[in-house]
Amino acid sequence: MKCGLTRKVAVRIAALMALPALAGEADSTGLSLDTIIVRDCGQRSFAGSVPPGNYSGITPIGGNRYAVVSDKSATDGFFVFKIDVDSVSGEVVFVENEGFRSAEFPNRDGEGIAFFAPAGTLFVSGESDSRIFEYSPDGRRTGRAIVVPEVFATASANYGLESLTYNNVTHRFWTTTESTLPADGERATAVNGVRNKLRLQSFGDDLQPSEWFYYEMDAPEARSEAGSYAMGVSELCALDDGRLVVLEREFFVSRRKIGSYVNVKLYLVNPSAAVPGEVLDKRFLHGFRTKLSLLGRGIANYEGMCIGPRLADGSLTLILVSDSQNGYKGVLRDWFRTIVMSLNREGNPRP
C-alpha cells in the first residue's frame, strides 16, 4: 500500500505541531500564509492481532503504545494497543491489542480518551453520563474528575460527550458532544438538512472549565430516510499551537445495508483567534468516503483520532481508528488509518 498525496490546502497557520512556519506572505493577523500537504495512507485491518471491538477513542501513552477506549467493553477502563507506523511513508504496518485494564466499574459508553502528561494519568469521557473521570495507568479510577458544565448533562445518552483530547504544550483539555445540545437547537437527521451546532469546551490542568466556542458542522449529505443514521463530531485532536483538528462523521445505514456509507471530513479551527461563545471559523483539511457494496466491505465508522509519531522528514501523523460494532455480522472490520500532514516550501507536493 502506497501512501499517496490527496490534497494541498492553503491555510493561515504559524506552526503545526512545531513545524517551522514559512517565511512568506502574511495576512492582517501577522500569520504566514502556508500550505499544508495532506497525504492519506489508506486503511488497514489486523484481524489476527486485534479482536473485533467497539473502539471509539485513542491516545498516545509513549513510544508505540496507545490507550484505546471501547464504548461497549465489559467494564469501564481501556485497552493498550501497540501500533507501528512506517517512519518514512507514514503507513500503519502493524497493530496489536495487548489487553484491557479495568476500572471495575460498569461500562458507561466510553468514547474519548486523553493522556494527561503532568500526572501520567488518563481521562475518559462517557457518552451515557457526560462525565470525564481520571484513571491511573493500571486502569483504576483515581477519584478525580473534570468539572463538566451542567449544560452537557442535558444531552441524550446517545449524543453525550463523544470526544476528548489534551495537549501538553497548551495545557488544555477539549471535549464536545456528538450532536447539538437541546439548548442550542435541532439535531441533524438524514432528512432535515440541519447543521449541528456544537459547544467545544476547554478545561485547564486544574480540571476546571475554561473557554468554550460554538462549532457548526457541514449540512448532511443524506437526503433520504435511513435504517440508521449518525451525524456528528466524533473526535477532536489538540495541536501544540492551540489549534484543533475536528473530525466530522456522517454514517448513513441504508435499510438494505448495501449502499451504506460513512463520510469523514477533517477541519482545522483556531480557538485562540476567536471570541469565546462565538462560532469558530474552520478550514477544510481532508475528506474521504467509505462504503458498503456487493463487492466491497471497506466501510469504516471512524470514531477515534490522535497524534501519531513524527516521520523522518518531520511530518505529523494522525492515527484514526474505527468502531466495527464488534465486527457486526462478520461484515464490519476494525480499520486503522493514517493521515500525514506537512508544510511545503516550494508550492509543490513532496514525493
Side-chain angles (χ1 to χ4, degrees), residues 215-219 231-235 246-250 262-267 282 302:
Y215 177 87
E216 189 174 83
M217 293 185 63
D218 289 355
M231 177 75 175
V233 166
S234 61
E235 194 57 279
V246 181
L247 194 165
E248 296 191 14
R249 184 263 285 120
E250 179 180 18
V262 178
N263 290 325
V264 170
K265 298 177 184 178
L266 299 181
Y267 282 94
K282 64 181 187 179
Y302 284 102

Side-chain angles (χ1 to χ4, degrees), residues 193-342:
V194 167
R195 296 172 180 261
N196 280 330
K197 189 176 183 180
L198 311 180
R199 298 189 187 207
L200 271 57
Q201 175 71 57
S202 69
F203 306 87
D205 283 356
D206 59 0
L207 312 186
Q208 296 296 315
S210 190
E211 309 90 358
W212 68 271
F213 304 83
Y214 278 119
Y215 177 87
E216 189 174 83
M217 293 185 63
D218 289 355
E221 293 187 19
R223 290 294 183 271
S224 60
E225 292 286 351
S228 180
Y229 185 76
M231 177 75 175
V233 166
S234 61
E235 194 57 279
L236 304 171
C237 190
L239 306 180
D240 285 352
D241 67 352
R243 289 169 169 79
L244 298 170
V245 178
V246 181
L247 194 165
E248 296 191 14
R249 184 263 285 120
E250 179 180 18
F251 190 3
F252 180 94
V253 180
S254 72
R255 291 177 177 176
R256 295 183 177 182
K257 300 301 186 288
I258 297 298
S260 300
Y261 62 83
V262 178
N263 290 325
V264 170
K265 298 177 184 178
L266 299 181
Y267 282 94
L268 191 68
V269 298
N270 186 9
S272 62
V275 177
E278 294 192 356
V279 178
L280 291 166
D281 291 332
K282 64 181 187 179
R283 295 183 179 275
F284 182 75
L285 287 178
H286 181 57
F288 58 89
R289 170 183 282 204
T290 60
K291 58 186 179 181
L292 180 65
S293 66
L294 289 172
L295 300 177
R297 297 185 176 185
I299 189 168
N301 178 25
Y302 284 102
E303 293 207 343
M305 175 177 67
C306 73
I307 297 296
R310 282 217 177 259
L311 302 185
D313 66 357
S315 296
L316 173 71
T317 60
L318 296 175
I319 297 176
L320 281 65
V321 60
S322 72
D323 179 352
S324 75
Q325 298 176 33
N326 205 37
Y328 180 76
K329 293 189 175 182
V331 174
L332 300 186
R333 301 180 187 177
D334 301 283
W335 294 103
F336 295 83
R337 193 181 197 108
T338 46
I339 308 294
V340 178
M341 298 190 295
S342 59

Side-chain angles (χ1 to χ4, degrees), residues 11-30:
V11 296
R12 292 174 177 86
I13 181 168
L16 184 66
M17 288 296 292
L19 283 171
L22 296 180
E25 177 187 357
D27 66 7
S28 59
T29 66

Side-chain angles (χ1 to χ4, degrees), residues 20-26 32-34 345:
L22 296 180
E25 177 187 357
S32 298
L33 190 61
D34 295 343
R345 295 178 179 274

